[in-house]
Amino acid sequence: MVPGACLTDVRLVPARPEHVDFWLEMRAAPGARRFVETGEDSRELLLRRILEAGALGRPGARSFRWFVEADGQLAGTVSARELSRAHGRAELGYMMADAYHGRGLGTRAVGLMLEELFTLPFLQRVWLTTLAENAASRGVARKLGFTLEGTLRGHCLFQGQRRDQQLWGLLRDEWASSRASRG
């Protein structure tokens, strides 16, 4: 992959056990460690998370995980967790490999995930959190129509320091409206 090259084919593939080594390597890279605690990861833990991720729409599933392919190469992962059918909500997460940062891949991948998630008729709201200093994740949220709902001051401990987290939300109607305006 040529740095800065335009990615033409971006798709989500269901998480499979054979993705675990890529995921472990991606989480160990310097770019991942800037905003996510990944030091305690083990192959076994990540494999268990892959195996526990449900199929979209499967009764009882509380989380989903896909891997992102860009031009046929694994490039990242996206997930939905804390799925509540009773409240119609889910929390989103995403991470792209260092080689794919800064090219809009996160926005495209999360957009594809939202398309999948909003096929669930009960889902009314999705949310995500970002560290306040994570400009790239804030950009993904804004571009996809999320609303900054607040800053949770000193909410998490990251690299031994208290950090602020921002809470972003997107409602089903807002997603449908933003899709319609994009054509």
Side-chain angles (χ1 to χ4, degrees):
M1 172 80 40
V2 176
C6 181
L7 300 169
T8 56
D9 182 33
V10 177
R11 67 188 193 106
L12 303 182
V13 296
R16 296 187 306 265
E18 56 265 28
H19 296 139
V20 72
D21 291 324
F22 164 79
W23 194 16
L24 190 60
E25 183 179 315
M26 179 179 64
R27 291 177 65 86
R33 292 178 178 239
R34 285 186 323 187
F35 300 114
V36 178
E37 292 283 6
T38 61
E40 305 261 338
D41 289 347
S42 69
R43 188 176 196 283
E44 294 73 27
L45 173 69
L46 295 181
L47 183 58
R48 186 170 62 241
R49 288 172 62 187
I50 287 172
L51 295 173
E52 289 172 353
L56 190 66
R58 187 186 83 201
R62 291 191 35 88
S63 68
F64 308 108
R65 178 166 303 280
W66 295 274
F67 279 79
V68 179
E69 278 189 1
D71 293 332
Q73 302 294 313
L74 288 176
T77 184
V78 294
S79 66
R81 55 189 177 266
E82 302 299 323
L83 181 72
S84 170
R85 285 170 176 72
H87 296 287
R89 65 182 183 216
E91 180 181 11
L92 306 185
Y94 48 92
M95 179 183 287
M96 299 302 125
D98 284 3
Y100 295 91
H101 287 185
R103 298 195 280 169
L105 179 61
T107 302
R108 289 174 68 187
V110 175
L112 290 171
M113 178 177 56
L114 289 167
E115 288 290 332
E116 292 290 329
L117 289 173
F118 280 122
T119 66
L120 298 171
F122 63 85
L123 191 67
Q124 297 301 312
R125 170 186 167 75
V126 294
W127 84 93
L128 58 90
T129 60
T130 66
L131 286 178
E133 63 265 28
N134 188 341
S137 280
R138 289 192 325 261
V140 168
R142 280 191 188 101
K143 288 174 193 168
L144 291 170
F146 282 79
T147 297
L148 177 61
E149 296 178 337
T151 298
L152 307 168
R153 297 174 300 128
H155 189 71
C156 64
L157 190 62
F158 180 70
Q159 298 177 344
Q161 296 180 356
R162 282 269 151 215
R163 302 288 178 98
D164 294 349
Q165 275 190 315
Q166 293 180 329
L167 177 64
W168 297 82
L170 178 67
L171 303 177
R172 173 185 286 279
D173 292 344
E174 294 166 340
W175 176 248
S177 292
S178 71
R179 284 183 59 225
S181 69
R182 287 192 307 266

